Amino acid sequence: MDTRTLVRIALIAALIAALGFVPPIYMPLAAGVPITAQSLGVMLAGLLLGARAGAAAVALFVFVVLLGAPLLAGGRGGLGLLAGPTAGFLIGYIAGAYVVGILAERLKLPAFASALVASVVGGIGVVYLFGIPVLAAAAGIGLSKAVIGSAVFLPGDLLKAVGASVLVTTVLRNWSVAAQPRP
C-alpha cells in the first residue's frame, strides 16, 4: 500500500472513532446492544476505500478499541468487549466493510444504487450475520429472540445506508469535478 492509502485508512478509522461520540441509544429489546452511528462509518469505509483498504480501516479501529481505547459509543473499549453481546457486531464490522467494498466495486448499477445495495448487504446483512449469533450466545437467549431483538435496529441502519450512499455519491461526484483541469 502506498502512503496515500495508509493515510486514508487512518482517516476513516478516526472518522469511525469520532462517530462514537454520538451518544448511543439503548433499546429495551436489544439485550444491551446500543444503536450507534459507528456502523455508518463502516459503510463509508467500504464505499470510499474499497474492500481491502476499507476492511483495514475498520480493523485498525477495532484493534485500537480492543487495546483499551474507549472509542465505542458510550466510551467503551478493551478486550472485555469480546465476551459481551456486542462482540459479534464489532468483528462483523470488519467483514461488513470488506463486503461493502467488494459490492460497490463490482455492481454495475448507477452509483447511488450500487452504494445502497452494498451498504445494505455488507453494512447491515453481514454485520448482523456475525452479530446476532454472538448476541444470542452472550445474552443466553435463543437465536430467534436475538433476531427479533435486532429487528429494532433495521430502520436506523437503513437510514444510515441511505445516508452513506448519498454522502459517497456526492463526494465522488464532486471529487471528479474538482479533479478536472480548469480552462
Side-chain angles (χ1 to χ4, degrees):
M1 286 189 201
D2 64 343
T3 304
R4 183 177 293 193
T5 302
L6 292 174
V7 168
R8 289 178 178 163
I9 287 169
L11 285 172
I12 294 295
L15 172 66
I16 298 169
L19 288 170
F21 289 106
V22 176
I25 300 168
Y26 288 91
M27 303 299 287
L29 297 175
V33 178
I35 296 174
T36 71
Q38 289 177 306
S39 56
L40 171 65
V42 171
M43 295 173 196
L44 290 171
L47 293 172
L48 289 172
L49 300 179
R52 289 179 46 209
V58 176
L60 174 61
F61 167 75
V62 169
F63 178 70
V64 171
V65 165
L66 292 177
L67 284 177
L71 299 176
L72 286 179
R76 297 172 300 126
L79 283 174
L81 291 168
L82 293 177
T86 60
F89 293 99
L90 189 60
I91 301 305
Y93 279 177
I94 300 167
Y98 185 83
V99 171
V100 168
I102 286 281
L103 290 175
E105 292 166 359
R106 295 188 180 170
L107 287 174
K108 301 299 179 204
L109 301 171
F112 177 81
S114 290
L116 184 60
V117 169
S119 294
V120 168
V121 172
I124 300 172
V126 170
V127 172
Y128 281 34
L129 189 64
F130 279 78
I132 291 174
V134 174
L135 169 63
I141 59 176
L143 193 57
S144 61
K145 283 188 179 183
V147 169
I148 292 168
S150 296
V152 72
F153 296 107
L154 279 175
D157 284 340
L158 290 170
L159 283 174
K160 288 182 254 184
V162 169
S165 303
V166 168
L167 277 167
V168 165
T169 53
T170 301
V171 164
L172 293 179
R173 180 178 35 233
N174 289 333
W175 275 350
S176 64
V177 169
Q180 294 176 0
R182 305 220 183 252

